Amino acid sequence: MTPNHSAVTWKGRTGGQRRGRLFIVSAPSGAGKTTLCAGLLERMPDMARSVSYTTREPRPGEKHGLDYFFIDEDTFRNGIDAGRWVEWARVHENYYGTAADTIEQSLVDGIDMILNIDVQGADQISARFPDCVRIFIMPPSLEELKRRLENRGGDDEAAMKVRMAAAEKEMARKDNYQHVLVNDDLDRAIEELTHIVSGYRTSS
Ligand code: ADP
Ligand code: 5GP
């Protein structure tokens, strides 16, 4: 099955007002992209974050509508058929997707938006929105990535293995991104991410 975008249409903006810009943040699971994006949004509260839809189970503490919209596989597949996702992918044996209407309104309203999505989703969004900005977050090492996944909790051993096996493949795709950032010291990494994003926001 391949993503089908044919049912998605995009309203143009009238009146010459600036359209919003999409910032894609990708990383292997556990590298810290959720944490970094939260830090970025604290510094730039006028930006929005896309809340994805997923078929994975919530981790302890995750909230429906805030971290993800947790839906079942039938609902996700129906969404594919209906053209509801502007991009979607199967990642670590679960489905993840971005609702077209989530980002459509932001772009039309001139609001910049962060999409925390995997490398497959990044390819789909880049094809559709060539002026999007792609940022890849690297962990300092694979050992540290494993430690962070363990500390975070919520993934059983099988899920951890799947995530670690996927990590190297995902990191091999980092050259497709305009910016690569290593998340070693958290405060420094948030500063760097903020610096990258603000460069685009002040220049457009
Ligand atoms: P992702 O969204 O990429 O899967 P998370 O943001 O959930 O990753 O981070 C995974 C774990 O690593 C969390 O427990 C988080 O608190 C921790 N973490 C994130 N960044 C750092 C960092 N720079 N140093 C140490 N721990 C970190
Ligand atoms: P997690 O289960 O750790 O929250 O996320 C697993 C992976 O799915 C991460 O690489 C994350 O970026 C990716 N992901 C989350 N939401 C989406 C989405 O809407 N689309 C795509 N393509 N990937 C997503």
Side-chain angles (χ1 to χ4, degrees), residues 25-30 33 52-53 56 59 62 68 87-89 91-92 96-98 116-122 124 152 163 170:
V25 177
S26 301
S29 185
K33 59 192 169 303
S52 295
Y53 288 72
R56 104 156 144 65
R59 297 192 183 108
E62 282 186 331
Y68 281 104
E87 67 74 31
W88 65 270
V91 191
H92 309 150
Y96 294 84
T98 305
N116 185 326
I117 59 177
D118 88 317
V119 292
Q120 306 168 75
Q124 295 168 45
R152 180 174 67 187
R163 279 161 200 274
E170 288 162 354

Side-chain angles (χ1 to χ4, degrees), residues 25-45:
V25 177
S26 301
S29 185
K33 59 192 169 303
T34 308
T35 311
L36 289 182
C37 289
L40 173 71
L41 282 168
E42 260 177 41
R43 286 162 176 74
M44 295 189 169

Side-chain angles (χ1 to χ4, degrees), residues 140-172:
S141 65
L142 284 174
E143 293 72 32
E144 174 63 13
L145 181 67
K146 189 156 183 276
R147 250 192 308 276
R148 288 183 190 173
L149 283 172
E150 284 165 356
N151 288 345
R152 180 174 67 187
D155 295 312
D156 62 22
E157 206 175 314
M160 288 266 301
K161 278 200 175 131
V162 170
R163 279 161 200 274
M164 286 304 295
E168 288 192 68
K169 285 190 193 151
E170 288 162 354
M171 289 193 286

Side-chain angles (χ1 to χ4, degrees), residues 5-7 51 58 105 111 126-127 139 144 151:
H5 299 133
S6 57
V51 178
Q105 199 58 50
I111 296 171
S126 301
E144 174 63 13
N151 288 345

